[in-house]
Amino acid sequence: MPTFRPLFLMALALAAPVAFGQTSSKLKVGLMLPYTGTYAALGTAIENGFRLYVAEQGGKLGGREVEYVKVDDESDPSKATDNVNKLVKRDNVDVLVGSVHSGVAMAMAKVAKDTGTLLIVPNAGADAVTGAMCAPNIFRSSFSNWQPGYAMGEVVAKKGHKKVVTITWKYAAGDESVKSFKEAFEKGGGKVVKELNLPFPNVEFQALLTEIAAAKPDAVYTFFAGGGAVKFVKDYAAAGLKKSIPLYGAGFITDGTLEAQGADAADLMTTLHYADSLGTPRDNSFRLSYAKTYKLQPDVYAVQGYDAAQILGIGLVATKGDTLKKAEFAAAVEKAKIDSPRGAFTLSKAHNPVQDIYLRQVVGKENKLIGIASKALTDPARGCKS
Ligand code: BEZ
């Protein structure tokens, strides 16, 4: 028998097929990451980690099957606003995940704040993201630039070094990493005597290495990452500085890079919220599963991607998959203990991880755990009003 459907019902069905919380449709995750340039490997590791956690949940978060829309942001802040607007306005993603570069992440945070789109930052440390730009819909699974820099400032001061030269890229991540190192180091009685930098992602280090040799500091502190970190560590050794002036850094200088750096990275000491030899059951099972899936060893970026998916999953379980229930999402994440391979952590009020910062040393192909440089270190969230 033919069924009768009033015309107005048919029209309604056509006009509004996927409105409201859309909890039965697929969850569209907008991955905005670098897939080219000096940070390309970091973007891939983050995506691998994210996908691994989702796969472990049977491909679903909060009951919704996950689908991905990807953009290569090229670590280029000048293209970031257009890129993120494409994901939000053209592709209608439910959540943004990105990025690696602090300048790109600040553009993403601005759009997230303006549009109310959920944003999870799986690397970029820009202090402002969980500082002046903090918002109920913005979360970070990684670190603030302040955290590893501050922890290393304390370590280097305790070692008794008095006179330090810093060297980094001239953009938010480098500037903030050096600033927090200096804050702790000078509080501990040391003095930063020279701050050297070059534009991102330039790797012509020679003239600056000559300046370091001439300044004869007790030690050098550095922030570089990805391809730039590989080149810097090799050039530092080739210039003969490794033998005479100890090099310390935020852990990105040796994370995901040791294969390429080889013996030139041996013994380097760094601070970071992850190490290759934590040896906990949680980390062991993560490492095994990552290595099996990707035929690669994980690094800090893979962990941050994995934890970005965990944070999203925690929020979506609470809202039954509805990304528009932002207050419920935030409340669930704020009270959660995130079961990370790095060790369990919570999020601060400003939504930045409160976490242990490890002291590591390069031994062979590993960033070996030496100890905890700073226990449950909380970013000061300067300027956050929420
Ligand atoms: C940043 O731009 O915030 C960043 C990039 C690579 C590693 C760590 C931080």
Side-chain angles (χ1 to χ4, degrees):
M1 199 163 76
T3 45
F4 173 74
R5 273 186 105 182
L7 264 181
F8 78 93
L9 274 183
M10 289 173 73
L12 242 185
L14 285 173
V18 283
F20 313 110
Q22 308 187 352
T23 51
S24 58
S25 61
K26 284 189 181 174
L27 179 78
K28 252 194 192 184
V29 174
L31 292 179
M32 187 162 145
L33 293 166
Y35 294 104
T36 52
T38 198
Y39 288 161
L42 288 60
T44 301
I46 289 168
E47 179 177 346
N48 287 347
F50 193 98
R51 284 182 184 266
L52 180 63
Y53 182 78
V54 173
E56 287 173 0
Q57 313 312 305
K60 290 185 176 182
L61 294 180
R64 291 173 74 181
E65 201 179 315
V66 176
E67 69 173 357
Y68 299 94
V69 186
K70 288 170 54 167
V71 168
D72 176 7
D73 67 38
E74 304 167 53
S75 296
D76 186 345
S78 74
K79 297 180 183 163
T81 303
D82 280 353
N83 280 332
V84 70
N85 273 327
K86 270 186 223 151
L87 286 173
V88 172
K89 296 186 177 146
R90 181 194 65 190
D91 301 321
N92 284 312
V93 298
D94 295 294
V95 54
L96 292 162
V97 176
S99 185
V100 167
H101 184 287
S102 275
V104 173
M106 283 193 277
M108 294 183 80
K110 166 104 180 54
V111 172
K113 224 170 144 79
D114 291 350
T115 61
T117 312
L118 200 53
L119 167 64
I120 303 179
V121 178
N123 181 69
D127 290 342
V129 165
T130 53
M133 301 177 87
C134 74
N137 57 317
I138 299 177
F139 303 84
R140 181 148 54 194
S141 65
S142 51
F143 60 92
S144 72
N145 290 323
W146 183 91
Q147 287 175 308
Y150 191 86
M152 189 45 106
E154 291 188 329
V155 168
V156 175
K158 278 188 204 134
K159 280 188 179 293
H161 296 307
K162 292 288 173 224
K163 199 175 120 180
V164 163
V165 170
T166 63
I167 178 164
T168 189
W169 278 314
K170 182 92 206 116
Y171 83 102
D175 290 347
E176 291 171 354
S177 184
V178 163
K179 195 168 165 217
S180 63
F181 169 83
K182 188 173 169 180
E183 182 185 337
F185 180 57
E186 296 198 340
K187 217 187 271 175
K191 181 93 192 118
V192 170
V193 292
K194 196 173 264 222
E195 295 180 31
L196 301 171
N197 45 57
L198 71 172
F200 174 86
N202 195 324
V203 290
E204 296 311 316
F205 299 119
Q206 215 45 57
L208 300 177
L209 293 173
T210 306
E211 279 199 60
I212 291 174
K216 295 191 174 55
D218 299 338
V220 168
Y221 173 77
T222 189
F223 166 91
F224 290 108
V230 172
K231 173 106 180 358
F232 180 74
V233 165
K234 294 193 89 55
D235 286 5
Y236 195 83
L241 294 175
K242 187 164 189 264
K243 296 189 295 271
S244 49
I245 307 172
L247 177 65
Y248 299 95
F252 314 105
I253 191 76
T254 56
D255 226 85
T257 55
L258 291 176
E259 204 65 54
Q261 287 164 333
D264 291 338
D267 303 327
L268 291 187
M269 282 194 152
T270 63
T271 41
L272 206 62
H273 47 288
Y274 189 56
D276 293 321
S277 53
L278 292 176
T280 58
R282 180 70 182 97
D283 189 44
N284 289 347
S285 72
F286 164 76
R287 293 186 75 89
L288 195 64
S289 157
Y290 191 93
K292 261 193 189 158
T293 309
Y294 300 110
K295 316 286 175 253
L296 280 173
Q297 287 305 314
D299 54 20
V300 71
Y301 309 105
V303 171
Q304 294 168 171
Y306 188 84
D307 292 342
Q310 286 212 68
I311 289 173
L312 182 57
I314 289 165
L316 289 181
V317 164
T319 65
K320 300 196 172 52
D322 191 342
T323 50
L324 301 182
K325 290 189 174 155
K326 284 175 215 135
E328 289 97 319
F329 184 101
V333 173
E334 281 167 13
K335 65 171 194 279
K337 203 165 193 188
I338 293 131
D339 186 19
S340 171
R342 76 187 80 170
F345 70 88
T346 54
L347 290 184
S348 66
K349 250 186 110 221
H351 297 166
N352 191 66
V354 176
Q355 57 193 342
D356 294 346
I357 304 293
Y358 302 111
L359 178 62
R360 310 113 45 92
Q361 185 163 34
V362 176
V363 178
K365 296 285 160 57
E366 284 201 346
N367 286 290
K368 274 234 172 287
L369 176 68
I370 301 292
I372 296 179
S374 201
K375 183 94 195 131
L377 189 62
T378 309
D379 178 85
R382 292 170 181 140
C384 174
K385 302 256 164 32
S386 88

